[in-house]
Amino acid sequence: MSELLLLEDIRAQKHQLSALFSVDGYRFSTTYWFDTVDLNALEARFGAEQMQNIYFHIAAFEINRLCSLRPKVVDWGEYSRFVGEDFWSTWSAIFRNVWAQWRFENDDPGYFGPQMKIASSPTPPPPRGKPPN
């Protein structure tokens, strides 16, 4: 069983989103390519903070696969500002239900994911700009 799963960084470029994670110091990364989406233009239109919130949610659900290493704690790092009660209950429910077969196959039916302290954080601001017609 691992101790700490950490979301270290999320980086966005024009057509690419990368997330860096670590589990007890071992690093993992995931990269998504969006050939027809300009992330820089979306940040200019809706604001960097709103896009960081979206990037966080993509990374947060990508991190589920690293929970197969059975971390005791998840640390969202600088992105914890996007974590609230609703997010955590949704994330936990998805982990428990979607990863149920993994728990069965690995003879660990009692592992329901890592623990986390939920810090109070302000709700991110609503998006700026208008959606395309």
Side-chain angles (χ1 to χ4, degrees):
M1 183 172 270
S2 305
E3 291 296 319
L4 178 66
L5 171 54
L6 173 63
L7 173 55
E8 291 190 13
D9 196 16
I10 303 171
R11 295 183 185 166
Q13 297 177 6
K14 185 174 183 175
H15 297 291
Q16 176 184 344
L17 181 65
S18 299
L20 180 63
F21 313 96
S22 65
V23 178
D24 292 346
Y26 293 98
R27 290 180 140 183
F28 301 87
S29 64
T30 297
T31 301
Y32 293 100
W33 293 88
F34 304 100
D35 294 336
T36 60
V37 176
D38 184 339
L39 297 175
N40 295 335
L42 289 173
E43 284 191 27
R45 184 176 188 170
F46 296 105
E49 185 70 3
Q50 186 65 33
M51 292 306 296
Q52 283 289 313
N53 188 9
I54 292 169
Y55 302 153
F56 162 74
H57 281 79
I58 292 169
F61 287 96
E62 179 66 25
I63 213 168
N64 283 347
R65 65 190 172 98
L66 292 174
C67 288
S68 65
L69 298 172
R70 297 179 180 106
K72 291 181 183 176
V73 176
V74 64
D75 181 350
W76 301 109
E78 69 177 88
Y79 303 95
S80 347
R81 68 189 184 277
F82 300 118
V83 176
E85 296 281 344
D86 289 341
F87 167 80
W88 186 245
S89 64
T90 301
W91 188 91
S92 297
I94 289 171
F95 183 84
R96 277 190 312 274
N97 295 304
V98 173
W99 292 88
Q101 179 156 342
W102 171 86
R103 292 193 319 271
F104 171 76
E105 290 173 351
N106 288 279
D107 196 28
D108 196 359
Y111 181 71
F112 294 111
Q115 297 299 307
M116 179 191 96
K117 292 181 183 174
I118 299 173
S120 61
S121 59
T123 303
R128 293 187 334 217
K130 295 180 181 177
N133 294 331

